[in-house]
């Protein structure tokens, strides 16, 4: 009888298992439950350093761009999630452009920006509200405006 109970419990657990070998792209917007910092540490460090350098006034004429290419399952989405977290911790904003199956670049870019602005940051405020607050502070806009 105990064997039947164990078998029933194991079968009941099957629907809760995740057999997906890769992360879904939407998962970049949340901190991952399992994170191995060493997985991509050298490339992550280099991208964050480039980001910090790219925010300097002398870099304004040369906007940053990075291509991350690797085989499926290599951890690109995991890297993007870690990068998003680092950018937010540095006080930046993160936009993801999903360029898979693009027919119209500018429409895709606009959708990516709007989606990014709606993403909740730590503390519950979304990126759009955080960006507006930053712009208000920089422009010294009166509260009634």
């Amino acid at each position: 009888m105990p064997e039947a109970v164990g078998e029933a419990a194991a079968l009941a657990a099957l629907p809760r298992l995740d057999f997906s070998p890769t992360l879904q792209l939407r998962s970049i917007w949340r901190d991952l439950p399992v994170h191995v910092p060493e997985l991509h540490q050298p490339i992550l460090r280099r991208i964050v350093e480039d980001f910090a350098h790219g925010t300097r006034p002398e870099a304004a004429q040369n906007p940053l761009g990075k291509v991350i290419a690797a085989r499926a399952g290599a951890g690109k989405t995991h890297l993007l999630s870690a990068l998003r977290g680092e950018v937010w911790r540095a006080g930046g904003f993160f936009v993801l452009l999903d360029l898979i199956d693009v027919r119209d670049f500018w429409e895709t870019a606009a959708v990516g920006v709007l989606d990014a602005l709606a993403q909740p940051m730590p503390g519950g405020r979304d990126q759009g509200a955080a960006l507006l607050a930053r712009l208000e502070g920089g422009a010294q806009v009166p509260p009634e405006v």
Side-chain angles (χ1 to χ4, degrees), residues 25 28-29 44 47 51 68 77 79-88 91-97 112-113 115-119 121 127:
L25 194 55
I28 68 138
W29 295 111
L44 181 60
I47 292 171
F51 167 75
I68 300 170
T77 304
L79 173 64
L80 287 173
S81 177
L83 178 60
R84 184 255 330 135
E86 291 291 324
V87 168
W88 280 358
F93 297 95
F94 191 89
V95 175
L96 174 70
L97 298 184
V113 169
D115 182 59
L117 291 174
Q119 297 304 318
M121 299 176 78
Q127 282 198 111

Side-chain angles (χ1 to χ4, degrees), residues 11-136:
L11 288 174
L14 276 176
R16 294 189 300 268
L17 293 176
D18 180 7
F19 290 103
S20 175
T22 60
L23 296 170
Q24 300 300 315
L25 194 55
R26 302 283 314 156
S27 69
I28 68 138
W29 295 111
R30 59 180 164 74
D31 291 334
L32 301 174
V34 177
H35 178 60
V36 180
E38 299 80 13
L39 183 62
H40 297 299
Q41 199 60 40
I43 187 69
L44 181 60
R45 190 176 313 117
R46 189 167 54 223
I47 292 171
V48 169
E49 287 170 2
D50 287 350
F51 167 75
H53 177 74
T55 59
R56 297 182 190 137
E58 70 272 13
Q61 298 302 314
N62 298 305
L64 293 177
K66 294 285 181 208
V67 174
I68 300 170
R71 62 180 168 70
K76 296 178 299 293
T77 304
H78 190 111
L79 173 64
L80 287 173
S81 177
L83 178 60
R84 184 255 330 135
E86 291 291 324
V87 168
W88 280 358
R89 280 185 283 285
F93 297 95
F94 191 89
V95 175
L96 174 70
L97 298 184
D98 182 0
L99 298 176
I100 303 298
D101 195 33
V102 173
R103 290 179 183 82
D104 181 325
F105 173 80
W106 293 111
E107 181 179 327
T108 301
V111 168
V113 169
L114 291 174
D115 182 59
L117 291 174
Q119 297 304 318
M121 299 176 78
R125 184 162 59 168
D126 62 45
Q127 282 198 111
L131 178 60
L132 284 175
R134 175 101 42 94
L135 292 171
E136 275 179 354

